[in-house]
Amino acid sequence: MSVNWIVLILGGLFETGFAISLGKAQQTSGKEMWGWLVAFIICVSISMYLLFKAMGGEKAIPVGTAYAVWGAIGAVGTVIAGILMFKEPVTFWRLFFLSTLIISVIGLQVFGSNA
């Protein structure tokens, strides 16, 4: 696994972080809300920067693949965090479509370009 893939995975995790921060900001008020909004700004900045870095350099990941993987990591992480932290429902269809997202991103990598 190249450094760019590690950078991309970290960027996707920070994407999850910015989504969680927004959810927490909506549940709070005052100084706590502002703390979560600052966390959002930090996470979104780091996430975008890491996505940018993963698409450059010697072993650059193509933009389409990078964005799909980054988005999928963020989506999967956010759904899992929503279930664990926000008590969102766990339904068959929710898990089914989350699984198809993961399978689709893997398919892009396996059958796409040699990134």
Side-chain angles (χ1 to χ4, degrees):
M1 179 179 289
S2 76
V3 171
N4 284 18
W5 279 102
I6 294 167
V7 167
L8 183 63
I9 291 166
L10 288 172
L13 294 174
F14 275 99
E15 183 186 3
T16 298
F18 78 69
I20 292 168
S21 298
L22 283 179
K24 286 293 200 178
Q26 289 181 330
Q27 294 180 339
T28 58
S29 61
K31 289 182 182 178
E32 188 177 357
M33 179 193 70
W34 287 105
W36 284 111
L37 290 175
V38 168
F40 163 76
I41 291 168
I42 291 168
C43 285
V44 77
S45 298
I46 293 170
S47 181
M48 292 293 171
Y49 177 74
L50 293 174
L51 174 62
F52 168 78
K53 291 301 284 182
M55 293 187 302
E58 187 177 315
K59 295 194 178 211
I61 301 170
V63 66
T65 301
Y67 187 77
V69 170
W70 174 82
I73 292 167
V76 170
T78 302
V79 169
I80 292 169
I83 290 167
L84 297 175
M85 297 173 70
F86 300 105
K87 308 298 183 225
E88 293 177 357
V90 180
T91 65
F92 168 80
W93 289 111
R94 220 169 164 208
L95 297 178
F96 172 78
F97 287 115
L98 191 61
S99 299
T100 62
L101 173 63
I102 294 166
I103 291 167
S104 296
V105 170
I106 292 169
L108 277 174
Q109 181 58 25
V110 171
F111 297 106
S113 64
N114 296 331

